[in-house]
Amino acid sequence: MATLVNDSILKNDADGPIPVSGGLGTDSYYNHSFFQKIAANVAKDMIEEAITKKLDVKFLLSSSNTIRIADLGCAVGPNTFDAMQSIVDVIKLKYQTQLPASPMPEFQVFFNDQPANDFNTLFKSMPPKREYFAAGVPGSFYGRLFPDSSLHVVYSSYALHWLSKVPEDLEDKNSPAWNRGKIHHASATEEVLRAYAGQWADDLSGFLNARAREIVPGGIVVIVTHSIPDGMEYSELANGMMYSCMASILLDIAKRGLITEEQVDAFNLPTYAASPGEFVSVVENNEYLNIVTMGESNPSPWLTDDVHVDMNEFVSHIRAAMEGMFSKHFSREIVNEMFEQLEARLSEISVEMESAYKDKIQAFYVLQRNDSG
Amino acid sequence: MATLVNDSILKNDADGPIPVSGGLGTDSYYNHSFFQKIAANVAKDMIEEAITKKLDVKFLLSSSNTIRIADLGCAVGPNTFDAMQSIVDVIKLKYQTQLPASPMPEFQVFFNDQPANDFNTLFKSMPPKREYFAAGVPGSFYGRLFPDSSLHVVYSSYALHWLSKVPEDLEDKNSPAWNRGKIHHASATEEVLRAYAGQWADDLSGFLNARAREIVPGGIVVIVTHSIPDGMEYSELANGMMYSCMASILLDIAKRGLITEEQVDAFNLPTYAASPGEFVSVVENNEYLNIVTMGESNPSPWLTDDVHVDMNEFVSHIRAAMEGMFSKHFSREIVNEMFEQLEARLSEISVEMESAYKDKIQAFYVLQRNDSG
């Protein structure tokens, strides 16, 4: 089970339809995002290297003495504060190296998430001695959020696997993509997979079009995201197994007559992990953004085979991230039972999940706006 | 009572220690800010005229194609949305006149208030079809909030009469400014008045120093604020009478032994209405900002002497704005009783209050950064 905890399901901090649990309480995302921090740290070196190599601060600052950074899908913290401070630190170092005689620029950081995100908690928990001016930006990152050419570095971590919506075909009972007995494309029909993949590609395309306008020439976009190796099926991944588990629990509840099977068929998780091949092909359709570096990783070098996750704690994390989605479709009692049963079911298949989880399920991309002249 | 409702006590949307009541419920500021809207509308013509006359959009846009506007002390809406849209409209009109052949600039609006403000409500109630990119900025406007030279128009309405804190001398029982039997400087000693005036001048000075850095050369700062005619005493104003009423109710409660007199002495409302003379003298100490236009008004031409305010409704408004301050110092029961008695007490002195309220208790200032070359 070692590697499972870094998976994308732990972080619902993006622009999907339901935000993570707000506030600072026991069940809140704020108190259950330690594992996301680990995942972010794994990518940190790559981010630092990309910024150091690719960001020409002299050129960027020719038009302004402020460096503007955005975290798209920031959730409520605290990981976003660490990530933003890391980026500020790297740019400062780069600046000292490239322009040792000049005064340090000022930094402005924009924290974005959907309007339903708990910005009150985010704002109250900001580091008091931060080295940047802070602003919150409510809205979907699949559309425009900022003025033309106003950002220098865009960062988005574990957010782009959240679709802007459940693919429409999945909500039509007469469509071949009606997802009978499933809550995700894992182990589902080809039509269901195609509907998910199409929605994801449309969403990423919208994201890239917006960013291409918003970043300055020479500016970069750093994306850390849940991924799947090219050629693999989602049902082979631990997450896929877990989604199938959830569907199976819900179907059992339906058999007892507490919900209908149609309710299960109609419920689908709006999340899609694309392969690097799919990602590259969407970026190639954008004429302003180029991939300057990319990579896949297994985000769990910090856990060895001897270290196992407490399944009770693990399900608490899953629940903090995903409960809101289930609660929109099922009653409180059903959701409670689903998560209670989940712990037992996952324990039964922990060996298979752990063995399925040796693959590279995190990807990292740095894009740069190419009209830097 | 007609004019009373426009007074500053109705709007606690600034950077004082306690924010207005959040959310969208019955007692919320959102649902009790109609009168502030009227006050803002009175100033609207003056704001439009100042922007039209003073803002050189061609010059401003020479360095950027984005116009950045900030509302400092925006509270939770909805008035801030109307105010920001009005400013965008005026600048657009000015732009069409001054540069008819150029494409329209983009607009970015920053909504600022203290971190404890209910930004979640603000963000969820934003106009969906707004003509600007929106961001929220948590923090005290008495300090820096934005990068150097990054704003074109700063707006602040009924916010600058809220002090950053209760003057320290008022919290020391051995100070000559210990405010025995009062909760405000109205009808208080000379030392108390001096402590309030000094804190206000320090705060405004901090506000101006920060804005002088943040606005671009040629940028303007529009301030609408509670005011007092030069030479008048605050006890002559309706608000002063109301604060004395509140103190008197609290002292009566103290006589019944439910609170101590010392608790009343130690509680002071952090609000100060400066005269135009005081305001000008603080601005004159700032080397970058000049007053380009200013005026006093009575913000209630919309109500004639025949129109009277429902006192129950009026006290609801006062309560939405001020309850938080009282609740920090007194128990829920005491605060309830104070506001319940207030309605009866104000009804008793409504004739005096109305007659006291014929004065110009709203001031309007437009400042411009003078190093526009």
Side-chain angles (χ1 to χ4, degrees):
Chain A
M1 284 304 301
T3 56
L4 188 61
V5 293
N6 281 311
D7 211 336
S8 66
I9 50 171
L10 285 169
K11 193 174 184 205
N12 175 10
D13 59 355
D15 237 83
I18 311 284
V20 299
S21 299
L24 295 165
T26 321
D27 292 331
S28 67
Y29 174 85
Y30 192 91
N31 277 331
H32 282 289
S33 52
F34 170 73
F35 295 117
Q36 287 83 334
K37 180 182 168 72
I38 303 295
N41 282 347
V42 172
K44 196 180 158 194
D45 291 345
M46 292 184 281
I47 294 168
E48 290 187 2
E49 190 188 336
I51 292 173
T52 303
K53 278 194 185 161
K54 296 296 177 183
L55 210 62
D56 181 346
V57 294
K58 190 172 173 185
F59 174 73
L60 292 184
L61 289 168
S62 58
S63 63
S64 158
N65 196 42
T66 301
I67 295 287
R68 292 189 172 85
I69 305 166
D71 185 357
L72 307 187
C74 66
V76 295
N79 294 342
T80 183
F81 305 127
D82 295 337
M84 294 301 98
Q85 187 58 50
S86 297
I87 291 176
V88 168
D89 289 343
V90 176
I91 297 176
K92 280 190 164 178
L93 193 63
K94 169 89 177 173
Y95 199 84
Q96 280 161 351
T97 314
Q98 203 178 336
L99 296 169
S102 301
M104 194 57 71
E106 292 183 312
F107 292 87
Q108 188 171 31
V109 174
F110 294 91
F111 296 90
N112 156 260
D113 214 311
Q114 50 182 318
N117 185 54
D118 187 355
F119 281 95
N120 287 351
T121 295
L122 181 80
F123 286 173
K124 284 174 198 157
S125 56
M126 276 194 182
K129 299 206 169 188
R130 55 190 180 268
E131 299 175 78
Y132 48 81
F133 298 108
V137 174
S140 167
F141 54 48
Y142 291 124
R144 287 289 300 277
L145 294 167
F146 301 94
D148 273 348
S149 298
S150 63
L151 298 175
H152 300 88
V153 177
V154 167
Y155 172 84
S156 182
S157 175
Y158 279 86
L160 279 168
H161 61 288
W162 291 109
L163 303 176
S164 66
K165 59 181 181 187
V166 171
E168 278 169 26
D169 284 354
L170 273 75
E171 306 201 310
D172 173 6
K173 207 180 162 178
N174 299 313
S175 156
W178 178 251
N179 201 10
R180 197 174 306 279
K182 304 271 186 300
I183 62 168
H184 185 258
H185 66 74
S187 305
T189 65
E190 190 60 33
E191 286 83 1
V192 169
L193 177 61
R194 209 154 38 225
Y196 266 94
Q199 184 64 51
W200 174 84
D202 286 351
D203 285 342
L204 181 62
S205 178
F207 177 93
L208 297 176
N209 288 338
R211 303 300 85 78
R213 295 282 303 273
E214 293 166 356
I215 59 170
V216 299
I220 64 177
V221 180
V222 177
I223 294 166
V224 184
T225 186
H226 183 40
S227 180
I228 182 170
D230 280 294
M232 242 184 129
E233 298 210 8
Y234 204 81
S235 55
E236 299 173 60
L237 295 188
N239 271 7
M241 295 177 186
M242 185 176 70
Y243 298 153
S244 296
C245 245
M246 289 170 163
S248 156
I249 296 168
L250 289 170
L251 286 174
D252 285 352
I253 296 174
K255 280 194 192 110
R256 284 156 46 210
L258 302 175
I259 52 175
T260 66
E261 282 196 21
E262 192 173 323
Q263 277 178 282
V264 181
D265 301 345
F267 174 69
N268 292 287
L269 293 169
T271 171
Y272 183 81
S275 69
E278 288 174 279
F279 195 97
V280 168
S281 101
V282 176
V283 178
E284 282 174 349
N285 284 329
N286 187 293
E287 60 178 313
Y288 298 104
L289 295 171
N290 293 330
I291 295 179
V292 293
T293 182
M294 61 180 279
E296 291 173 90
S297 61
N298 183 313
S300 328
W302 58 289
L303 283 181
T304 72
D305 284 349
D306 300 332
V307 181
H308 296 277
V309 174
D310 178 290
M311 192 56 85
N312 182 269
E313 174 78 357
F314 173 71
V315 171
S316 294
H317 281 80
I318 300 290
R319 191 168 180 160
M322 305 193 89
E323 183 168 15
M325 266 169 255
F326 286 91
S327 298
K328 255 187 119 171
H329 291 260
F330 300 107
S331 71
R332 187 167 185 78
E333 291 70 30
I334 302 298
V335 176
N336 280 342
E337 180 170 348
M338 203 279 291
F339 281 108
E340 277 158 23
Q341 289 200 29
L342 187 61
E343 188 182 331
R345 298 275 190 115
L346 291 181
S347 299
E348 284 168 21
I349 59 162
S350 64
V351 176
E352 294 91 318
M353 286 180 81
E354 188 165 353
S355 109
Y357 230 90
K358 301 291 183 192
D359 296 294
K360 293 181 171 173
I361 43 73
Q362 176 173 283
F364 168 81
Y365 307 91
V366 178
L367 318 180
Q368 189 160 31
R369 186 167 150 182
N370 56 19
D371 50 349
S372 56
Chain B
M1 285 303 301
T3 56
L4 187 60
V5 291
N6 281 313
D7 212 334
S8 67
I9 49 170
L10 285 170
K11 193 173 183 206
N12 174 12
D13 61 354
D15 237 83
I18 311 285
V20 298
S21 298
L24 295 165
T26 322
D27 293 330
S28 66
Y29 175 84
Y30 191 95
N31 277 332
H32 281 289
S33 52
F34 170 74
F35 295 118
Q36 288 82 332
K37 180 181 168 72
I38 303 297
N41 282 347
V42 172
K44 196 181 157 193
D45 292 345
M46 292 185 280
I47 293 168
E48 290 188 1
E49 190 187 335
I51 292 174
T52 304
K53 278 192 186 163
K54 295 295 175 182
L55 210 61
D56 181 344
V57 292
K58 190 172 173 183
F59 174 72
L60 293 184
L61 288 169
S62 58
S63 62
S64 158
N65 196 42
T66 300
I67 295 288
R68 292 189 172 84
I69 304 166
D71 185 357
L72 306 188
C74 65
V76 294
N79 294 342
T80 183
F81 305 127
D82 295 337
M84 294 300 97
Q85 187 57 51
S86 297
I87 291 175
V88 168
D89 289 343
V90 176
I91 296 176
K92 280 191 163 180
L93 192 63
K94 168 88 176 175
Y95 199 85
Q96 280 161 349
T97 314
Q98 203 178 335
L99 295 169
S102 301
M104 194 56 72
E106 293 183 311
F107 292 86
Q108 189 172 29
V109 174
F110 294 91
F111 296 91
N112 156 260
D113 213 311
Q114 50 183 317
N117 185 53
D118 186 356
F119 281 94
N120 287 351
T121 294
L122 181 79
F123 286 172
K124 284 174 199 157
S125 55
M126 276 193 181
K129 298 205 169 194
R130 54 192 182 267
E131 300 176 78
Y132 48 81
F133 298 108
V137 174
S140 167
F141 55 48
Y142 291 124
R144 287 289 300 277
L145 294 167
F146 301 94
D148 273 347
S149 299
S150 64
L151 299 174
H152 300 89
V153 177
V154 168
Y155 171 84
S156 183
S157 176
Y158 280 87
L160 280 168
H161 60 287
W162 290 110
L163 303 177
S164 66
K165 59 181 181 186
V166 171
E168 278 169 25
D169 284 354
L170 274 76
E171 306 201 312
D172 173 6
K173 207 180 163 177
N174 300 313
S175 155
W178 178 252
N179 200 10
R180 197 174 305 278
K182 304 271 186 299
I183 63 168
H184 185 258
H185 66 74
S187 304
T189 65
E190 189 60 33
E191 286 84 1
V192 170
L193 177 61
R194 207 152 41 222
Y196 267 93
Q199 183 64 50
W200 174 83
D202 285 350
D203 285 341
L204 181 62
S205 178
F207 177 93
L208 297 176
N209 288 338
R211 304 300 87 75
R213 295 282 304 272
E214 294 167 356
I215 60 169
V216 298
I220 64 176
V221 181
V222 177
I223 294 166
V224 183
T225 185
H226 183 39
S227 179
I228 183 170
D230 280 294
M232 242 183 129
E233 298 210 7
Y234 204 81
S235 56
E236 300 173 61
L237 296 188
N239 270 8
M241 295 178 186
M242 185 176 70
Y243 297 153
S244 296
C245 244
M246 289 170 164
S248 156
I249 296 168
L250 289 170
L251 286 174
D252 285 352
I253 296 174
K255 279 193 193 112
R256 283 156 46 212
L258 302 177
I259 52 174
T260 66
E261 282 195 23
E262 193 172 320
Q263 278 178 281
V264 182
D265 300 346
F267 174 70
N268 292 286
L269 293 170
T271 170
Y272 183 81
S275 69
E278 288 174 280
F279 194 98
V280 168
S281 101
V282 176
V283 178
E284 281 173 348
N285 284 329
N286 187 294
E287 61 177 313
Y288 297 103
L289 295 171
N290 293 330
I291 295 179
V292 293
T293 182
M294 62 180 279
E296 292 173 272
S297 63
N298 183 314
S300 330
W302 57 288
L303 283 180
T304 73
D305 284 350
D306 300 331
V307 181
H308 295 279
V309 175
D310 177 291
M311 192 57 84
N312 183 271
E313 174 77 357
F314 173 71
V315 171
S316 293
H317 280 80
I318 300 290
R319 192 168 179 161
M322 305 193 88
E323 182 166 16
M325 267 169 256
F326 286 91
S327 298
K328 255 188 117 170
H329 291 260
F330 301 106
S331 71
R332 186 164 186 81
E333 293 70 32
I334 301 299
V335 175
N336 280 342
E337 179 169 348
M338 202 279 291
F339 281 107
E340 277 159 22
Q341 288 198 31
L342 186 63
E343 187 181 331
R345 297 276 190 116
L346 290 181
S347 298
E348 285 167 19
I349 59 163
S350 64
V351 176
E352 294 91 318
M353 286 181 81
E354 187 164 355
S355 108
Y357 230 87
K358 301 293 184 191
D359 294 293
K360 293 181 173 175
I361 44 74
Q362 175 172 283
F364 168 81
Y365 307 91
V366 178
L367 319 180
Q368 189 159 31
R369 187 167 150 182
N370 57 19
D371 50 350
S372 56

